[in-house]
């Protein structure tokens, strides 16, 4: 029961982030800019993949050239569909990482602004932009590598009857959701001086809220354009989750930063 409640708490952090950006719509618009750029890039890539999927399938299955037309067409249609689905899944699981890299200065400011409404912002671990972006790219690539280590076997298991239509989608959502949470909490955890391994370890110790937060976002990000609209709220929710659940600050007055203070406005 405790794990289930923590899972629901994780879901709740997204809605807290949603309420935050609703209170400060200018910051929502501010965080929308890199998400829109990333969406356009991904939409263009998926369009070209979709329109050329059959040609790519034909290039990758030369052994079927001598088969009957019906069998060859069916095989290449399945391969083309599988390629597009794989591209769609890859776009969902990498959208957050790419958007955060493209919008690093935007989301750093947004995350800091969220924390300011909860009290003092941790300082002393900031890196200059020319150092932080390469490190973000490196960490995102490592995270992506771990994600692919799990999702590639799940992708092929998806073709297994019954299991592929029941167990695999659930496992895929859990795995992808966990890594989405890793990406989104990076900004706030780095602000506290936590390196990649420490961040992974902290989230493994808090699997239930991490999964609740990330699985909800994974499902939302499957809906076209929702990822763009929800991205600023996801960043805000991640900052709130780090602030109040994963690594609450100890403030001079003995408070933990769990309740937002009266704000000065945007």
């Amino acid at each position: 029961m405790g794990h289930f409640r923590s899972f629901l708490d994780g879901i709740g952090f997204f809605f807290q982030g949603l309420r935050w950006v609703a209170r400060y719509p200018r910051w929502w618009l501010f965080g929308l800019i890199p998400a829109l750029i990333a969406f356009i890039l991904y939409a263009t890539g998926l369009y070209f993949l979709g329109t050329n999927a059959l040609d790519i399938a034909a290039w990758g299955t030369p052994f079927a050239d001598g088969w009957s037309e019906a069998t060859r067409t069916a095989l290449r249609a399945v391969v083309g569909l599988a390629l597009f689905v794989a591209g769609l899944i890859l776009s969902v699981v990498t959208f957050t990482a790419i958007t955060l890299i493209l919008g690093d200065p935007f989301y750093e400011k947004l995350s800091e602004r969220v924390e300011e409404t909860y009290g003092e912002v941790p300082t002393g671990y900031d890196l200059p932009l020319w150092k932080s972006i390469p490190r973000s790219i490196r960490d995102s690539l490592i995270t992506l590598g771990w994600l692919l280590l799990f999702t590639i076997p799940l992708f092929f298991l998806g073709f297994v009857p019954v299991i592929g239509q029941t167990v695999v989608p659930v496992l895929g959502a859990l795995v992808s959701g966990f890594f989405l949470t890793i990406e989104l909490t990076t900004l706030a955890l780095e602000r506290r001086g936590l390196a990649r391994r420490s961040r992974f370890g902290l989230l493994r110790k808090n699997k239930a809220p991490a999964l609740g937060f990330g699985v909800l976002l994974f499902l939302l990000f499957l809906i076209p354009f929702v990822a763009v609209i929800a991205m600023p709220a996801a960043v805000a929710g991640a900052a709130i989750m780090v602030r109040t659940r994963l690594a609450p600050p100890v403030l001079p007055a003995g408070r933990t930063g769990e309740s937002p203070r009266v704000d000065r406005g945007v």
Side-chain angles (χ1 to χ4, degrees):
M1 190 67 180
H3 290 299
F4 181 68
R5 182 174 296 175
S6 294
F7 184 88
L8 293 179
D9 288 343
I11 293 175
F13 285 119
F14 169 72
F15 290 102
Q16 290 185 48
L18 197 61
R19 285 195 297 270
W20 194 94
V21 296
R23 286 178 61 201
Y24 306 108
R26 291 182 183 179
W27 284 96
W28 175 73
L29 292 172
F30 181 75
L32 212 60
I33 296 171
L36 277 171
I37 295 172
F39 178 79
I40 292 170
L41 293 175
Y42 273 95
T44 303
L46 286 172
Y47 171 78
F48 281 106
L49 178 61
T51 54
N52 295 284
L54 290 178
D55 293 334
I56 297 172
W59 173 80
T61 57
F63 56 84
D65 289 343
W67 296 5
S68 67
E69 183 178 353
T71 306
R72 181 175 65 248
T73 301
L75 171 69
R76 288 173 175 170
V78 170
V79 173
L81 179 61
L83 285 172
F84 182 77
V85 170
L88 182 62
I89 293 173
L90 188 63
S91 69
V92 171
V93 299
T94 61
F95 177 83
T96 300
I98 297 301
T99 304
L100 289 174
I101 291 172
L102 290 175
D104 186 84
F106 290 81
Y107 293 126
E108 180 68 36
K109 291 295 183 184
L110 173 59
S111 182
E112 285 182 2
R113 188 69 183 90
V114 172
E115 292 222 47
E116 283 180 2
T117 62
Y118 279 75
E120 297 179 11
V121 179
T123 58
Y125 298 100
D126 295 336
L127 287 176
L129 193 62
W130 65 272
K131 283 187 177 181
S132 65
I133 291 180
R135 189 173 73 172
S136 296
I137 294 173
R138 182 198 63 199
D139 287 352
S140 293
L141 288 175
I142 293 172
T143 303
L144 177 61
W146 279 104
L147 175 60
L148 293 177
L149 187 66
F150 289 99
T151 54
I152 289 176
L154 289 174
F155 173 75
F156 288 106
L157 284 174
F159 294 100
V160 178
V162 183
I163 294 177
Q165 292 74 49
T166 54
V167 177
V168 171
V170 174
L171 291 176
L174 291 173
V175 170
S176 300
F178 183 74
F179 282 99
L180 276 176
T181 301
I182 287 176
E183 290 288 353
L184 286 163
T185 54
T186 293
L187 289 171
L189 291 176
E190 281 188 340
R191 194 175 299 124
R192 288 158 172 79
L194 273 70
R196 176 176 46 81
R197 289 186 179 180
S198 299
R199 297 195 303 268
F200 271 59
L202 180 62
L203 288 168
R204 282 198 299 268
K205 292 178 182 177
N206 294 271
K207 284 191 186 76
L211 287 172
F213 183 73
V215 169
L216 174 63
L217 287 173
F218 174 74
L219 295 176
L220 288 175
F221 285 8
L222 289 173
I223 306 171
F225 205 66
V226 170
V228 177
I229 298 172
M231 191 65 187
V235 173
I240 295 170
M241 180 164 65
V242 170
R243 179 90 187 190
T244 63
R245 179 64 179 262
L246 300 181
V250 178
L251 300 180
R255 295 175 291 123
T256 61
E258 293 181 357
S259 300
R261 65 183 183 184
V262 177
D263 198 276
R264 300 186 303 272
V266 178

